[in-house]
């Protein structure tokens, strides 16, 4: 099926970024979330980023308006009946994703691929919620989506070759470089990244260093663009904890146990940039 209308579930930091890159590639986009203020905020974020691109002379105001004109917001899941391809970027909670995939399976046209941007929930488990497990796949974007070049493409055990090829080609159409990861907890990106972040939190917990020194070591000593604690704040500490739990549950290996300090921050509602406080404070 030729993809002309691209559906995105979730207008948060991942969802609005995905909607932006899809619209930038010329597709018509339906950006869906459960409440109007959420989609309004997502669209405002996109408009703000594009506005800065216009100011920097990287884009014309007409192109910006045309791109925004290709994004339709929606608060009814039934609107996804018009989509040719859907990527789900809702909250990283298994029950929410399961329900969404059951609903999307009912609402979407039969040939439509249902992709998930899950950062660690097994694709096969999500696919099993539908009657189209051959058309369910992981399409894992990195944050911030408009900037990061990678899309991890994760076929589940039942995903067809055609679904894989379509998703791979779509990632390239978005200007991204896809990499294939098989369906094991954390895939490739988070299997490697999150234990590093968790270890940085352990360094803070054990008093090996303060937050600034831990981040400075990794920035200047390893040339990482940002330190692991600042990156955890960008990703969201709740998401970091959820990924560590998935790794720990999936492998039953103590090396993936989440640091108690990470859990403590999440329990306090200190989730990183999105709540104004994580390992650092934000205005
Ligand atoms: N949205 C869109 N564009 C953004 C942006 C955002 N949120 N943040 C920064 N940018 C753009 C800026 O506008 C700027 O664009 P120009 O070059 O056109 O001017 C460019 O990115 C560089 O930004 P800055 O100069 O402000 O800052 P920087 O050079 O420090 O880069 C960064 C910021 C891109 C976030 C960089 O620090 C970085 O790459 N950090 C690491 C990010 C990372 O590791 N992401 C993966 C997280 S893991 C994940 O997402 C998977 C998961 O499942 C958890």
């Amino acid at each position: 099926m030729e993809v002309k209308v691209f559906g995105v579930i979730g207008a948060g930091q991942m969802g609005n970024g995905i909607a932006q890159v899809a619209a930038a590639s010329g597709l018509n986009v339906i950006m869906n979330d459960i409440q109007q203020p959420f989609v309004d905020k997502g669209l405002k974020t996109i408009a703000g980023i594009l506005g800065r691109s216009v100011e920097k002379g990287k884009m014309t105001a007409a192109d910006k308006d045309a791109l925004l004109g290709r994004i339709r917001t929606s608060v009814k899941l039934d609107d996804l009946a018009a989509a040719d391809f859907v990527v789900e970027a809702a909250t990283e909670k298994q029950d929410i994703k399961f329900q969404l995939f059951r609903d999307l399976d009912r609402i979407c046209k039969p040939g439509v691929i249902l992709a998930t941007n899950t950062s660690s929930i097994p694709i096969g488990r999500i696919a099993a919620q539908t009657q189209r497990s051959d058309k369910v796949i992981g399409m894992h974007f990195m944050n911030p989506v408009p900037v990061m070049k990678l899309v991890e493409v994760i076929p589940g055990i039942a995903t067809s070759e055609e679904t894989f090829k379509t998703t791979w080609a779509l990632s390239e159409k978005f200007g991204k470089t896809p990499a294939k990861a098989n369906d094991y907890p954390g895939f490739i990106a988070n299997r490697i990244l999150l234990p590093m972040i968790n270890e940085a939190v352990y360094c803070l917990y054990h008093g090996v260093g303060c937050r600034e020194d831990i981040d400075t070591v990794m920035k200047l000593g390893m040339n990482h663009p940002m330190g692991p604690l600042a990156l955890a704040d960008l990703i969201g500490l709740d998401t970091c904890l959820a990924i560590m739990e998935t790794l720990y549950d999936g492998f039953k290996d103590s090396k993936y146990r989440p640091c108690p300090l990470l859990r403590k921050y999440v329990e306090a509602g200190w989730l990183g940039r999105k709540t104004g406080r994580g390992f650092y404070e934000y205005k």
Side-chain angles (χ1 to χ4, degrees):
M1 180 190 291
E2 196 196 343
V3 178
K4 288 186 182 152
V5 180
F6 186 83
V8 185
I9 309 298
Q13 64 181 359
M14 297 307 287
N16 72 57
I18 298 169
Q20 181 186 323
V21 296
S25 80
L27 297 181
N28 290 314
V29 176
I30 302 170
M31 182 170 71
N32 172 281
D33 211 316
I34 48 174
Q35 286 181 31
Q36 194 61 40
F38 297 168
V39 285
D40 290 346
K41 190 173 171 210
L43 199 60
K44 202 172 153 206
T45 301
I46 299 171
I49 291 167
L50 298 179
R52 280 197 293 281
S53 292
V54 172
E55 281 164 23
K56 288 178 199 163
K58 293 190 168 179
M59 182 182 223
T60 66
D63 284 347
K64 173 194 144 192
D65 292 343
L67 193 159
L68 286 173
R70 285 194 288 277
I71 303 176
R72 171 155 80 91
T73 59
S74 141
V75 290
K76 283 193 298 208
L77 208 58
D78 285 345
D79 292 339
L80 275 300
D84 305 319
F85 188 109
V86 177
V87 63
E88 166 277 320
T91 311
E92 192 65 7
K93 294 213 170 75
Q94 190 164 282
D95 292 349
I96 292 177
K97 292 199 193 284
F98 280 6
Q99 188 59 52
L100 272 169
F101 272 78
R102 287 196 288 266
D103 291 343
L104 288 168
D105 190 31
R106 179 175 41 79
I107 292 165
C108 295
K109 291 174 281 191
V112 170
I113 292 172
L114 303 179
T116 171
N117 182 57
T118 179
S119 38
S120 64
I121 299 170
I123 306 305
R125 214 183 279 170
I126 296 175
Q129 302 302 313
T130 72
Q131 303 298 315
R132 60 175 95 190
S133 51
D134 59 317
K135 295 193 176 60
V136 175
I137 191 162
M139 191 180 195
H140 184 211
F141 291 82
M142 303 294 131
N143 185 12
V145 179
V147 182
M148 305 306 281
K149 290 272 171 246
L150 178 72
V151 175
E152 226 179 352
V153 179
I154 310 125
I157 195 165
T159 307
S160 71
E161 190 58 24
E162 195 189 340
T163 298
F164 179 77
K165 282 186 180 151
T166 304
T167 309
W168 189 273
L170 207 50
S171 307
E172 289 179 330
K173 185 179 167 71
F174 293 172
K176 305 294 182 194
T177 301
K180 181 182 174 190
N182 286 319
D183 189 17
Y184 290 99
F187 318 128
I188 296 174
N190 287 329
R191 171 92 173 258
I192 299 172
L193 177 66
L194 263 295
M196 184 199 72
I197 288 176
N198 195 46
E199 207 55 36
V201 185
Y202 266 111
C203 284
L204 189 65
Y205 178 61
H206 288 150
V208 185
C210 66
R211 61 186 185 183
E212 287 83 6
D213 286 336
I214 292 167
D215 278 353
T216 298
V217 165
M218 297 307 287
K219 267 195 325 195
L220 302 187
M222 284 76 190
N223 245 358
H224 289 195
M226 61 205 297
L229 298 175
L231 181 56
D233 281 354
L234 176 72
I235 293 169
L237 302 194
D238 51 341
T239 303
C240 291
L241 179 61
I243 296 168
M244 287 311 297
E245 307 265 31
T246 304
L247 290 172
Y248 189 55
D249 288 348
F251 293 112
K252 299 282 185 286
D253 184 331
S254 65
K255 74 178 174 182
Y256 298 116
R257 76 231 175 281
C259 178
L261 188 61
L262 177 62
R263 194 181 299 285
K264 202 168 180 173
Y265 273 57
V266 172
E267 283 168 359
W270 296 357
L271 306 183
R273 287 195 191 194
K274 60 187 168 189
T275 57
R277 170 137 205 197
F279 293 109
Y280 294 88
E281 298 79 36
Y282 303 88
K283 282 196 204 108

